[in-house]
Amino acid sequence: MNGAFATSISPILAGAAEAERDALVVSIHDVAPANIAPVRKILAELSPRGVAKTSVLVVPDYHHEGESMKNVEFVRWMRDLERDGHEVVIHGYFHERPRRSHETLRDKFLTRFYTQDEGEFHDLSYEEAFERISRARSEFAAAGLRPHGFIAPAWLLSRDAERAAADSEMEYTTRLNTVRDLRTGVDFTSRSLVYSVRNGWRRMASLGWNKALLAAMNGRPLLRLSIHPSDCEHAEVWRQIMRFVDQLAAERQATTYRDWVSEQRMRNSADQSGS
């Protein structure tokens, strides 16, 4: 990957220090050609509520259903979103993980119960993780897109895979509880609101948990809301998400992970030069 594409996100954000308001990052996960319709609906409902830019997590080849960057309509749409201020993020590669023999109970819990065999980067080797992330970057670049972040499916990212993301010139990654600047190694604590909608009891648990989590987290400088395409299919979940968006967009500045990480770098640089 040549240095021209490589990654300093700070210049992108030269005018993006959007002041002293706390931040809200809404991320839309599992974006792929198969999910165009629900993702369009999500974006259409977010924009009039004050969330005009989001982090859009694009899967290069979702469940081996076809390469996203070879879909002309999809690529055109992603370029339009970037032009409008949204951020395109690499989200795994296949978004699935084959089951392995001799897995530990922890591995089975995380990759089967916690996520339905989608923890692709949970235990990939460094070499395989580096190959997949680098391949995705090349495909996105060839399509005219400029991803700066890598986020693993279900936030299950091994340390070897994290190192591979950094070596692939990714600027940042996130886990469920943190945003990590891969250049500086600094972690910013922020647990994401996220829903599990696979069955009724998971939906009910998600509604109660996220209500409590928002109350606990709302004083933090960064608040994260992660939306999956299937969330908008469940009325009670979608109503709560929209209530949260209305509340948070009135209180916070909607931004992207890319812009937020760059703003933290600029603030840190200013603090160091002033000390």
Side-chain angles (χ1 to χ4, degrees):
M1 198 68 54
N2 69 43
F5 181 66
T7 117
S8 178
I9 59 178
S10 296
I12 293 175
L13 284 200
E18 290 176 308
E20 301 303 319
R21 292 176 70 191
D22 288 339
L24 168 67
V25 172
V26 177
S27 58
I28 305 176
H29 293 230
D30 303 354
V31 179
N35 292 327
I36 286 177
V39 175
R40 284 192 185 278
K41 168 182 165 60
I42 291 166
L43 289 170
E45 296 206 27
L46 289 173
S47 184
R49 287 178 158 86
V51 181
K53 58 182 181 178
T54 64
S55 292
V56 179
L57 278 55
V58 177
V59 185
D61 188 356
Y62 186 70
H63 289 198
H64 299 269
E65 292 177 359
E67 295 178 36
S68 295
M69 296 301 107
K70 290 187 176 178
N71 185 300
V72 175
E73 176 191 0
F74 182 80
V75 168
R76 185 181 301 118
W77 180 36
M78 291 298 105
R79 288 177 184 158
D80 289 345
L81 290 178
E82 277 198 340
R83 181 199 64 211
D84 292 341
H86 298 270
E87 170 196 16
V88 171
V89 182
I90 299 172
H91 188 38
Y93 195 90
F94 299 114
H95 208 285
E96 65 179 7
R97 173 189 177 274
R99 294 183 179 186
R100 295 158 170 71
S101 59
H102 309 299
E103 290 182 326
T104 66
L105 288 175
R106 179 178 182 275
D107 287 338
K108 289 179 180 179
F109 174 82
L110 288 174
T111 63
R112 301 182 193 185
F113 177 78
Y114 172 64
T115 182
Q116 288 183 304
D117 298 306
E118 294 190 323
E120 178 184 7
F121 282 76
H122 168 61
D123 52 4
L124 276 188
S125 68
Y126 170 87
E127 292 75 17
E128 183 62 25
F130 182 83
E131 192 280 328
R132 293 188 192 186
I133 299 169
S134 298
R135 188 192 336 164
R137 267 196 106 209
S138 296
E139 291 170 356
F140 282 42
L145 300 170
R146 294 177 58 83
H148 295 276
F150 173 80
I151 297 177
W155 296 291
L156 295 177
L157 182 69
S158 70
R159 291 298 174 187
D160 281 344
E162 180 188 298
R163 185 163 55 91
D167 291 348
S168 302
E169 299 185 316
M170 293 286 94
E171 292 280 340
Y172 72 83
T173 190
T174 71
R175 290 184 170 85
L176 179 60
N177 294 306
T178 57
V179 177
R180 184 174 183 81
D181 186 334
L182 290 172
R183 272 199 186 173
T184 64
V186 173
D187 281 322
F188 304 95
T189 301
S190 176
R191 186 180 179 93
S192 186
L193 304 172
V194 64
Y195 293 80
S196 180
V197 299
R198 292 205 300 265
N199 54 44
W201 76 262
R202 284 177 179 265
R203 292 193 292 274
M204 291 301 296
S206 290
L207 291 168
W209 169 252
N210 283 309
K211 182 178 179 181
L213 182 60
L214 178 59
M217 295 285 295
N218 205 14
R220 301 290 180 92
L222 172 65
L223 215 154
R224 303 160 59 199
L225 173 60
S226 300
I227 301 176
H228 290 78
S230 56
D231 292 345
C232 60
E233 299 172 4
H234 302 279
E236 71 280 15
V237 167
W238 194 243
R239 281 194 298 268
Q240 185 178 81
I241 290 173
M242 290 297 98
R243 285 198 302 271
F244 287 173
V245 168
D246 287 338
Q247 172 189 341
L248 296 171
E251 301 169 349
R252 294 170 173 266
Q253 177 66 50
T255 187
T256 64
Y257 284 126
R258 174 198 62 199
D259 289 3
W260 192 82
V261 168
S262 185
E263 184 177 343
Q264 305 320 299
R265 288 180 187 169
M266 289 191 293
R267 288 183 175 181
N268 183 59
S269 177
D271 290 344
Q272 290 181 347
S273 56
S275 60

